[in-house]
Amino acid sequence: MDASIRPVRRDQFEELGEITAQAYLGDGLLDFGAGDPYLEQLRAVERRAAEAEVLVALDDDGRLLGGVTYVEPGSPWADIAGKDEAEFRMLAVSPEARGRGVGEALVRACIDRARARGGLSGIVLSTQSSMSAAHGIYRRLGFARSPERDWSPLPGFVLLTFRLEL
C-alpha cells in the first residue's frame, strides 16, 4: 500500500467528510439517499475528531485517500463496544483509491491503537450486509462475525457485527 496513516488535520475535516459521505452514497448504503439523516454524522469530522480519533490515509503526494474513526471505550461514538473494547466506524476510501490496500491499512491502524492501549479484550465494528469488500478485509485480519450482537438502529435495518479478540 502506498499510503501513510495519521490523525486527521483540521484543514482536512471538510474533505474527509465529503469522501465519507460520497462513499456511502455512491455505494448505495444510505436508504434515504441524499436526504438520509446519517449523512450529517458522516460529514461531522470535526465533532468526531473532538470526541474520538479520526485517522486518514494519504498518498505520497499528500492527497487524502480515506479515513476511519477509532473509538475508545466510553466514547459517545461507541455503538456496540463494551467497557473493555475499542470500536471503529465510518471506514471510507475514495473511489480512485480503492483496491490499493487503503481500507486494510486504516483497519490495521485501529487494531494497532487498540493493542497499544492495553487492557482491551477486543475491537468491534458494525457493518451492512452489502459491504462484502469490507467483510473480506475484516476476515483477512482475523475478525469473526458476532451475530449475537447484530442490531438495528432503525426498524428493519440490521447491522452485522464483527469482533477481533486482542
Side-chain angles (χ1 to χ4, degrees):
M1 197 251 346
D2 56 348
S4 59
I5 309 297
R6 64 165 179 70
V8 68
R9 290 189 328 241
R10 179 170 292 284
D11 64 333
Q12 296 169 322
F13 289 170
E14 186 175 337
E15 184 180 3
L16 180 58
E18 273 314 298
I19 286 172
T20 308
Q22 293 308 315
Y24 277 66
L25 278 170
D27 289 348
L29 301 174
L30 300 172
D31 285 353
F32 304 108
D36 198 297
Y38 192 55
L39 277 170
E40 181 181 330
Q41 287 192 43
L42 295 173
R43 289 184 170 120
V45 177
E46 182 173 6
R47 180 173 158 229
R48 291 198 321 259
E51 299 173 339
E53 184 175 13
V54 178
L55 303 172
V56 292
L58 304 166
D59 70 10
D60 291 338
D61 295 324
R63 283 188 298 266
L64 193 58
L65 304 174
V68 66
T69 301
Y70 171 76
V71 180
E72 290 277 336
S75 165
W77 288 92
D79 277 334
I80 62 167
K83 62 181 172 42
D84 67 342
E85 294 175 318
E87 183 170 348
F88 68 87
R89 300 185 54 196
M90 300 175 191
L91 174 65
V93 176
S94 65
E96 60 275 4
R98 291 185 180 180
R100 294 171 40 191
V102 174
E104 184 169 329
L106 288 162
V107 174
R108 284 183 185 278
C110 291
I111 295 168
D112 290 346
R113 277 165 171 68
R115 286 188 171 134
R117 180 187 187 276
L120 297 177
S121 67
I123 184 169
V124 296
L125 67 105
S126 300
T127 183
Q128 294 181 31
S129 60
S130 61
M131 296 176 166
S132 56
H135 300 174
I137 292 170
Y138 307 146
R139 286 188 174 98
R140 197 166 44 254
L141 295 177
F143 284 83
R145 277 278 291 120
S146 49
E148 70 282 359
R149 295 173 79 169
D150 292 354
W151 62 291
S152 297
L154 300 168
F157 183 75
V158 177
L159 291 175
L160 310 179
T161 62
F162 283 78
R163 184 176 194 277
L164 174 69
E165 190 80 22
L166 294 178

